[in-house]
Amino acid sequence: MNTKLQILIIVVVALLSYNANAQTNKCATMQHLEKSLVQDPTLKQRMVDSEKATRQWILTHVQSKKANTEVIVIPTVVHVIWNSSVENVSDEQILSQIEVLNNDFRLMNADSLDEQHPFRPFVIDAKIEFCLAQQDPDGSPTTGITRTQTNVVAWGEDNWDNIKSTVNGGKNNWDPTKYLNIYVVNLDGKILGFAAFPDELASKPDLDGTVIRYEAFGTNGTAGTGEFSLNNKGRTGTHEIGHWLNLKHIWGDSTCGDDLINDTEKAEEANYGNPTFPHRANNTCGSGTNGEMFMNYMDYVDDSCMFMFTSGQADRMRASLNGPRSGLLTSIGCKLPTALNEVNILNAATVYPNPNSGKFTLYINLKNITLVNASLINMFGATVKEFGVISKEISTIDITDVSTGAYYLRLSNSTTSTIKKVFITK
Ligand SMILES: [Zn+2]
């Protein structure tokens, strides 16, 4: 083989592998939808009807640009399904994902487009937030996190539904009309995650939720490990929850396809990696000189390269929250159970920092309440430590000898008791 031929082969192999990479399906939401369409013959028509309702709602509301648009807080539960202990991601990692969601959906992300960028006028605060649930569907206090050890080593496509099935090695979702269920699992292959669309809820409530692989979840711990180093900023969560709130991919899942949004440029296909603006200027779908909006959360670029939702996308998400997902608007999942919330001790007490390494400051405003007894209880309700009567407004609590995890600090006096969630991370 001569040298020129060797070089040609190397170049061709490189091109082939690039193409293979370019066609990598990072998100399996459309595959999930295709399965649902096969299983439920009524889904297609429901999606058509729902699309009309979505457009009508947007026409009559156009909420996202109004200054007085109310923030919607979505009660969220994170189900960690783990086989190898590395997959049992820490509370700290879970909190990092919630923080990313609250930044991205509220336009608090530090990497947003600068004011001069041509796409900046389309960037929007979607006014959607996420809280880790404070009470479970039975009304019991919860950290908003469940942990399930499983015999399933990795979840392949044939097994996806079982992630949400307790009897099959996964975990049943919490009432999907009242909670966003996020599953953290070890997915087979290279898929980063997938979600169920709002219209799937009516026929398959038990399959609702979003699934994220543990290496692409949050911003610390296992985030970005192994071959997923470019998925280290929690944007798989932002992307999948975008689907869960009825957003399609920016390229409409076909060449120059329609994502049903007016203010996202039409894209020829998915974008990968870290493109430079303008990318695909004057593309074949008729984009202008600014090219494609590859930095949108609903594209396939690296985590560090995606940082915006548009007004049209925010309206569409809010339409779903006033349509198929409207049950979330009346969910009390973010509130402490009533029995624990009777008196204002909770409002008078603050733990900081939280999460902490086991040493934290407890501030109690003792002006308006009688002396308080404090104890630490674990997730199963067992008392781990007694602190006795707290007589100072500011106390330093040292529980560095307890293991990492979520606990409740129970505060009580002669008339009532309440709890504060404390996260210990080391
Ligand atoms: Zn996707």
Side-chain angles (χ1 to χ4, degrees), residues 79-322:
H79 304 292
V80 181
I81 315 285
W82 61 280
N83 177 270
S84 159
S85 58
V86 69
E87 299 156 15
N88 191 11
V89 300
S90 68
D91 290 345
E92 189 179 17
Q93 189 170 344
I94 292 167
L95 291 171
S96 78
Q97 179 65 69
I98 299 294
E99 186 179 0
V100 168
L101 298 177
N102 282 325
N103 285 337
D104 289 353
F105 284 80
R106 288 305 318 274
L107 192 53
M108 307 265 282
N109 53 309
D111 52 1
S112 183
L113 288 175
D114 62 49
E115 296 296 333
Q116 285 74 41
H117 196 287
F119 286 157
R120 178 71 194 191
F122 305 109
V123 174
I124 197 77
D125 169 3
K127 297 193 176 167
I128 296 169
E129 294 181 3
F130 303 84
C131 86
L132 274 178
Q134 299 252 44
Q135 65 175 295
D136 69 14
D138 297 327
S140 301
T142 175
T143 58
I145 299 168
T146 76
R147 295 180 182 280
T148 303
Q149 189 172 8
T150 182
N151 292 325
V152 180
V153 175
W155 301 86
E157 184 172 355
D158 293 344
N159 219 7
W160 283 347
D161 292 353
N162 289 340
I163 293 171
K164 297 154 189 166
S165 168
T166 303
V167 295
N168 289 306
K171 173 85 176 170
N172 291 352
N173 63 4
W174 288 10
D175 182 350
T177 65
K178 300 295 181 191
Y179 298 89
L180 160 62
N181 289 265
I182 299 178
Y183 288 84
V184 185
V185 304
N186 183 22
L187 287 173
D188 210 4
K190 294 186 178 182
I191 295 288
L192 299 179
F194 58 89
F197 282 107
D199 291 323
E200 296 175 61
L201 180 62
S203 54
K204 289 280 180 185
D206 52 328
L207 297 183
D208 190 59
T210 64
V211 176
I212 303 171
R213 73 177 312 127
Y214 74 100
E215 299 108 316
F217 178 80
T219 60
N220 55 39
T222 60
T225 54
E227 57 190 301
F228 299 95
S229 60
L230 300 173
N231 308 109
N232 60 345
K233 292 194 177 294
R235 259 61 193 262
T236 299
T238 306
H239 176 107
E240 295 306 337
I241 291 165
H243 285 311
W244 185 78
L245 291 172
N246 213 20
L247 297 189
K248 293 184 72 179
H249 289 133
I250 207 86
W251 68 99
D253 295 291
S254 60
T255 306
C256 297
D258 188 0
D259 67 352
L260 309 171
I261 305 282
N262 288 331
D263 58 4
T264 53
E265 287 286 356
K266 275 228 163 62
E268 291 179 1
E269 56 187 21
N271 291 301
Y272 291 81
N274 191 2
T276 306
F277 179 84
H279 178 62
R280 288 195 187 137
N282 302 308
N283 71 11
T284 56
C285 332
S287 77
T289 52
N290 292 328
E292 300 184 3
M293 195 182 274
F294 61 85
M295 67 294 286
N296 193 286
Y297 292 125
M298 300 315 290
D299 208 334
Y300 268 180
V301 294
D302 298 340
D303 272 17
S304 61
C305 192
M306 55 167 67
F307 28 73
M308 67 175 287
F309 285 124
T310 66
S311 304
Q313 288 175 317
D315 284 338
R316 191 171 173 81
M317 290 192 282
R318 296 184 69 89
S320 82
L321 286 163
N322 286 276

Side-chain angles (χ1 to χ4, degrees), residues 27 35 40 59 72 85 138 160 185 192 207 235 252 298 352 379 401 414:
C27 157
K35 286 177 81 171
D40 175 11
L59 273 177
I72 296 172
S85 58
D138 297 327
W160 283 347
V185 304
L192 299 179
L207 297 183
R235 259 61 193 262
M298 300 315 290
Y352 58 92
M379 283 177 70
D401 54 334
S414 56

